[in-house]
């Protein structure tokens, strides 16, 4: 074989199986040239044509080999491409975002698994379709607009999309979508790709949290936090224009009783109904909030710039609310539901949101005090009282240690006008306010439980006073009555405290009279009886103060170990003109007589009262007619 052919042959050996054909052609040619058997008889082939055929064969073989090579390379490239595509598709199908590709005429050419799942259709059904065939008209219009924006401007966009399917059974989805153009090698926009994350659940969680943070779980109304935000906003707004707004605090009267008498479910139902009823009366610009168990607030924004008109409007709204509340029916028959409303007007000048709320609160308190089922407006006087109360509370904490308390004494006389004893009445000498009356600070002391140490102090003072008087022949027979608050009376070691004070002062216990009001008797009758019996066991006397103002039943009274009844001064004041007061005073006197109790009338200011009482068997008198409460050294004890 000539060298060139051999070299060509070798060069194309790699083109198996085609190279096998080459030696076959070469051998046939060679045989013909050298006259080997099989070649005999053939006409001699000229050498040039021999070489020509060899060359043709070689060229053809080479061309064939190149074609085969290219095909194989193409096949390998396609395999690789398919593998890559497969891998990419596996990756895209395994992510939780929806991925799609659309043609410029907005038909889907690719969607991943998540996208098909979200649409509730097989991939094959989605490919080639447009959004109009998959979503409702509004959704499709929005999606088309977003797609066109990408295709026309060649820019990436990030948008929120709500997808509502044409198929009513497929739930709607909220997506956060990124869309971007896909370019051809020449730079033209060939298609667009979208990657959308389903944020439906995430939004739901956010919304749920938002609802929890800003709305009442029972009624779904704005809670205190949201109300305060809206109130602040209303105050800011109103500052820029003349006018008024109103804040109305609405509270169901004795709601606890409804809960106790019916059930908590019934209580909840009442609140839900109230929320509904109130909701129907509220304008769009107003805010109705549910801020506590049975506390609702109506924030009314645009009221008249004239304060009288604004107040009249607010009052009309409040009155309508009050009228509507009793229409809520409850299971328990015969129980009418009523409400109380506290209203304050605001104009954006002065009071902050917190202060405005406080004002409505104070007004509500007044409405409650007036017996409920009514409304009250906040006024400056209320504000003064509230501020005083805050100051009293703060200063009261330190009054004991600063020795600002004094015990005053008011004499008590018998039917002959002879002094039999005194009532100890607490006074607070405030460094700035001067003499603070007990009705101003005792309720605060009770609320803060400061009445316990204060009450103990009064008891110690009076017993010391009795101890001192015991040494004076002119005074040793005098008793002292001490007022004991319900909180103090029920404190666990009250009787022990009294026992200990009696022991240390070594006084005659029968000269100490413990005065309790009817409110003490209300709760837990058995406990009250035990304590009263223990006190009497110590030798002290017990008087029932302000008798006739409470509701203690006569039957109950009969069983209590009492020594004395005090006719409240409100009845004494009406003697002898007011028929009702006269009747009550007479009843108390005869009752005391029947029960074997002594009676003392408080607040006796006139001779007429004194005479009338004496004529009906009253044996004890206390009041300005005989003497005002005074410090001990101003007591005028003239006769024995
Ligand atoms: P109370 O125990 O019924 O005391 C009688 C009140 O009537 C006293 O008022 C007394 O000053 C007043 N008063 C007496 N005579 C007359 C009168 O002729 N006309 C009028 N208008 N008033 C008269 P005060 O001292 O302001 O005490 C008010 C209430 O404060 C007492 O009513 C008592 O409930 C309570 N209180 C006073 N001291 C203490 C105390 O040490 N502890 C407790 N827990 N409460 C006390
Ligand atoms: Mg008293
Ligand atoms: Mg009294």
């Amino acid at each position: 074989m000539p060298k060139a052919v051999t070299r060509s042959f070798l060069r194309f050996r790699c083109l198996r199986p085609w190279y096998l054909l080459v030696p076959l052609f070469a051998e046939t040619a060679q045989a013909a040239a050298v006259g080997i058997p099989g070649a005999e008889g053939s006409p001699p082939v000229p050498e040039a044509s021999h070489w020509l055929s060899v060359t043709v064969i070689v060229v053809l073989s080479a061309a064939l080999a190149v074609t085969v090579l290219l095909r194989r390379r193409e096949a390998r490239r396609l395999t690789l491409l398919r593998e890559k595509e497969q891998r990419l598709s596996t990756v895209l199908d395994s992510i939780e975002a929806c991925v799609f590709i659309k043609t410029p005429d907005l038909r889907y050419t690719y969607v991943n698994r998540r996208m098909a799942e979200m649409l509730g259709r097989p991939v094959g059904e989605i490919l080639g379709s447009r959004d109009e065939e998959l979503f409702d008209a509004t959704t499709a219009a929005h999606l088309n607009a977003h797609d066109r924006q990408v295709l026309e401007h060649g820019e990436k966009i990030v948008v929120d999309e709500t997808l509502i399917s044409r198929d009513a059974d497929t739930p709607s989805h909220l997506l956060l979508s990124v869309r971007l153009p896909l370019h051809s090698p020449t730079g033209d926009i060939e298609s667009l790709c979208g990657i959308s994350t389903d944020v439906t659940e995430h939004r739901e969680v956010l919304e749920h949290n938002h609802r929890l943070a800003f709305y009442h779980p029972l009624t779904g109304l704005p809670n205190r936090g949201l109300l305060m935000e809206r109130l602040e906003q209303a105050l800011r707004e109103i500052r820029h224009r003349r006018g008024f707004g109103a804040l109305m605090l609405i509270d169901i009267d004795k709601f606890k009783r409804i809960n106790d008498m019916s059930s908590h479910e019934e209580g909840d139902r009442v609140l839900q109904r109230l929320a509904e009823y109130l909701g129907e009366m509220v304008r769009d610009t107003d805010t109705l909030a549910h801020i506590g168990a049975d506390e609702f607030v109506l924030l009314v924004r645009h009221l008249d710039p004239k304060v009288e008109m604004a107040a009249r409007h607010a009052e009309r709204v409040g009155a309508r609310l009050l009228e509507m509340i009793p229409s809520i029916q409850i299971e328990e028959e015969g129980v009418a539901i009523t409400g109380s409303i506290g209203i304050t007007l605001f104009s954006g000048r002065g009071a902050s949101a917190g202060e405005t709320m406080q004002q409505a609160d104070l007004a509500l308190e007044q409405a409650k005090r007036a017996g409920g089922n009514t409304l009250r407006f906040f006024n400056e006087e209320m504000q003064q009282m509230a501020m005083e109360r805050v100051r009293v509370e703060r200063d009261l904490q330190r009054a004991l240690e600063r020795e600002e308390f004094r015990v005053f004494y008011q004499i008590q006389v018998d039917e002959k006008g002879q002094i039999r004893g005194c009532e100890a009445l607490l006074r607070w000498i405030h460094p700035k306010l001067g003499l603070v009356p007990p009705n101003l600070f005792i309720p605060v002391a009770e609320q803060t439980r400061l009445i316990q140490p204060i009450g103990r102090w009064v008891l110690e003072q009076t017993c010391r006073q009795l101890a001192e008087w015991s040494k004076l022949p002119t005074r040793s027979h005098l008793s002292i009555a001490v007022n004991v608050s319900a909180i103090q009376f029920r404190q666990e070691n009250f009787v022990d405290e009294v026992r200990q004070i009696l022991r240390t002062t070594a006084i005659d216990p029968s000269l100490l009279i413990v005065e309790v009001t009817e409110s003490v008797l209300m709760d837990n009758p058995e406990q009250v009886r035990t304590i009263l019996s223990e006190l009497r066991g110590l030798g002290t006397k017990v008087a029932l103060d302000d008798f006739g103002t409470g509701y203690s039943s006569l039957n109950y009274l009969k069983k209590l170990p009492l020594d004395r009844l005090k006719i409240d001064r409100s009845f004494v004041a009406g003697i002898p003109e007011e028929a009702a007061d006269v009747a009550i005073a007479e009843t108390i006197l005869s009752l005391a007589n029947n029960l074997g109790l002594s009676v003392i009338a408080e607040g006796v200011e006139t001779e007429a009262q004194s005479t009338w009482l004496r004529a009906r068997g009253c044996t004890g008198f206390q009041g300005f007619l005989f003497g005002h409460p005074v410090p001990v050294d101003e007591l005028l004890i003239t006769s024995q």
Side-chain angles (χ1 to χ4, degrees):
M1 192 169 25
K3 254 194 189 144
V5 174
T6 313
R7 231 179 292 130
S8 300
F9 168 71
L10 285 175
R11 195 150 356 119
F12 293 113
R13 260 182 71 97
C14 58
L15 301 180
R16 269 183 308 149
W18 306 104
Y19 73 87
L20 294 172
L21 296 171
V22 177
L24 196 75
F25 283 121
E27 270 161 30
T28 315
Q30 211 176 12
V34 294
I36 53 167
E40 286 163 23
S42 306
V45 179
E47 194 164 336
S49 72
H50 163 79
W51 281 111
L52 183 63
S53 44
V54 168
T55 310
V56 167
I57 289 166
V58 168
V59 168
L60 276 176
S61 307
L64 197 63
V66 167
T67 311
V68 169
L69 185 71
L70 287 177
R71 279 219 182 126
R72 283 173 61 91
R73 207 177 274 173
E74 180 62 12
R76 213 166 35 238
R77 202 177 65 83
L78 280 175
T79 313
L80 278 176
L81 205 62
R82 226 168 280 133
E83 273 174 20
K84 253 190 206 166
E85 214 170 68
Q86 190 65 42
R87 232 176 296 147
L88 192 63
S89 167
T90 312
V91 171
L92 290 178
D93 279 344
S94 62
I95 62 174
E96 280 308 309
C98 299
V99 183
F100 58 85
I101 297 175
K102 282 181 189 172
T103 56
D105 66 340
L106 308 184
R107 291 187 186 280
Y108 286 93
T109 54
Y110 171 80
V111 291
N112 72 343
R113 175 196 52 85
R114 183 73 191 90
M115 178 84 177
E117 272 173 15
M118 191 192 69
L119 290 172
R121 296 171 188 235
V123 174
E125 210 175 283
I126 304 166
L127 297 182
S129 46
R130 286 174 53 97
D131 286 321
E132 288 79 355
E133 296 155 57
L134 304 170
F135 302 105
D136 81 333
T138 323
T139 308
H142 279 132
L143 297 179
N144 286 351
H146 294 156
D147 291 345
R148 258 180 253 115
Q149 196 182 337
V150 175
L151 292 170
E152 281 163 21
H153 300 100
E155 59 190 26
K156 174 176 136 180
I157 59 166
V158 180
V159 277
D160 277 338
E161 289 171 338
T162 305
L163 304 191
I164 301 167
S165 169
R166 277 167 64 102
D167 179 1
D169 295 340
T170 311
S172 64
H173 290 265
L174 206 71
L175 302 180
L176 178 68
S177 290
V178 180
R179 276 181 202 198
L180 53 143
L182 297 179
H183 296 276
S184 71
T186 54
D188 297 331
I189 297 176
E190 215 173 42
S191 49
L192 74 90
C193 169
I195 303 160
S196 305
T197 313
D198 194 337
V199 290
T200 317
E201 253 178 55
H202 178 66
R203 285 284 161 89
E204 275 169 10
V205 170
L206 283 185
E207 268 167 28
H208 180 69
N209 288 348
H210 182 260
R211 267 199 304 278
L212 278 187
F214 292 106
Y215 294 87
H216 197 286
L218 182 68
T219 52
L221 290 175
N223 64 9
R224 183 181 287 270
L226 188 52
L227 170 76
M228 292 314 276
E229 252 178 45
R230 301 246 173 107
L231 178 58
E232 269 162 22
Q233 193 188 342
L235 286 169
R236 272 197 304 275
E237 254 175 42
I238 219 159
R239 218 167 283 150
H240 297 299
R241 58 177 175 81
R242 273 164 39 78
F244 283 92
L247 192 72
M248 304 189 183
L249 200 54
I250 308 150
D251 187 284
I252 297 186
D253 297 329
K254 304 195 178 86
F255 182 67
K256 194 177 166 305
R257 221 184 52 185
I258 298 173
N259 261 345
D260 292 348
M261 280 170 65
S262 312
S263 62
H264 280 266
E265 288 75 33
E266 182 66 3
D268 285 355
R269 211 178 57 79
V270 166
L271 295 174
Q272 282 166 332
R273 292 282 292 279
L274 180 61
E276 265 170 43
Y277 284 19
L278 293 173
E280 281 165 20
M281 296 180 60
V282 172
R283 299 179 306 186
D284 286 350
T285 47
D286 302 340
T287 296
L288 175 66
H290 184 183
I291 61 164
D294 62 328
E295 269 188 339
F296 291 81
V297 175
L298 181 59
L299 168 64
V300 184
R301 281 171 194 239
H302 311 292
L303 291 179
D304 204 275
K306 286 197 210 81
V307 68
E308 307 81 40
M309 295 296 286
R312 203 168 301 157
H313 185 155
E315 187 173 12
R316 262 206 312 270
V317 174
R320 269 198 0 248
L321 295 178
L322 284 181
E323 266 173 34
M324 177 275 296
I325 294 174
S327 56
I328 301 173
Q329 301 292 321
I330 78 164
E331 272 170 15
E332 199 68 34
E333 275 182 29
V335 176
I337 298 182
T338 57
S340 300
I341 302 181
I343 306 176
T344 187
L345 295 179
F346 59 84
S347 63
R349 277 167 281 276
S352 67
E355 285 160 354
T356 309
M357 268 304 275
Q358 239 168 22
Q359 292 175 355
D361 223 346
L362 284 170
L364 176 67
E365 207 179 296
Q366 294 296 316
K368 291 265 170 198
R369 281 214 190 132
N373 196 18
T374 185
L375 60 84
R376 286 286 180 276
F377 271 87
F378 168 80
N379 60 37
E380 284 304 315
E381 204 180 303
M382 261 182 222
Q383 174 116 331
Q384 285 303 324
M385 269 172 62
M387 277 163 58
E388 219 160 85
R389 201 182 158 105
V390 170
R391 190 199 281 187
V392 163
E393 197 175 316
R394 195 190 55 210
D395 293 349
L396 204 58
Q397 311 269 353
R398 286 167 294 182
L400 250 189
E401 63 191 62
R402 290 184 179 176
E403 299 182 352
E404 290 168 3
F405 289 120
R406 302 280 178 278
V407 179
F408 278 29
Y409 295 90
Q410 185 179 28
I411 54 166
Q412 297 171 330
V413 301
D414 63 15
E415 69 279 11
K416 296 189 193 101
Q418 294 205 326
I419 300 171
R420 307 304 298 257
C422 307
E423 177 172 8
L425 293 162
L426 184 60
R427 296 291 179 264
W428 179 17
I429 319 289
H430 189 282
K432 287 203 189 97
L433 300 175
L435 198 118
V436 185
N439 53 13
L440 226 154
F441 70 88
I442 298 268
V444 181
E446 283 177 338
Q447 270 164 26
T448 52
R449 305 216 146 236
L450 276 169
I451 195 68
Q452 294 180 351
I454 295 173
R456 188 192 157 93
W457 180 85
V458 175
L459 209 58
E460 280 168 355
Q461 293 300 307
T462 45
C463 288
R464 273 198 209 128
Q465 197 57 65
L466 282 172
E468 258 180 53
W469 285 351
S470 69
K471 295 174 213 148
L472 307 172
T474 49
R475 299 194 173 190
S476 60
H477 64 289
L478 298 178
S479 64
I480 300 185
V482 184
N483 294 286
V484 171
S485 129
I487 308 247
Q488 192 186 354
F489 184 80
R490 284 208 202 87
Q491 110 198 12
E492 221 174 273
N493 57 350
F494 175 63
V495 178
D496 291 339
E497 242 179 50
V498 177
R499 184 183 295 115
Q500 192 216 325
I501 295 170
L502 288 176
R503 197 178 299 143
T504 43
T505 50
I507 55 159
D508 172 0
S510 67
L511 296 177
L512 179 69
I513 302 166
V514 172
E515 273 191 14
V516 292
T517 53
E518 278 190 275
S519 64
V520 166
L521 313 181
M522 299 298 187
D523 269 359
N524 202 341
E526 265 320 295
Q527 187 198 21
V528 170
R529 248 169 68 89
T530 313
I531 299 173
L532 290 180
S533 305
E534 283 176 1
L535 284 174
R536 276 180 120 206
L538 295 177
T540 63
K541 298 239 159 58
V542 181
L544 191 54
D545 205 355
D546 304 343
F547 187 66
T549 55
Y551 306 93
S552 34
S553 81
L554 296 184
N555 202 25
Y556 173 47
L557 213 62
K558 196 174 69 187
K559 294 181 192 149
L560 287 177
L562 296 171
D563 298 282
R564 178 191 272 186
L565 293 184
K566 288 186 86 174
I567 307 177
D568 189 67
R569 72 169 189 266
S570 59
F571 306 123
V572 175
I575 293 171
E577 296 87 12
E578 295 290 329
D581 293 342
V582 164
I584 291 170
E586 271 176 343
T587 313
I588 296 173
L589 283 164
S590 76
L591 176 78
N593 192 26
N594 288 336
L595 294 175
L597 305 172
S598 69
V599 180
I600 182 163
E602 324 180 277
V604 182
E605 294 181 355
T606 64
E607 279 296 347
Q609 289 165 345
S610 171
T611 313
W612 187 95
L613 286 159
R614 209 176 306 125
R616 278 152 191 88
C618 185
T619 50
F621 305 81
Q622 180 184 344
F624 296 164
L625 182 66
F626 311 99
H628 285 261
V630 286
V632 69
D633 33 287
E634 289 175 33
L635 265 182
L636 286 175
I637 298 177
T638 48
S639 56
Q640 271 208 51

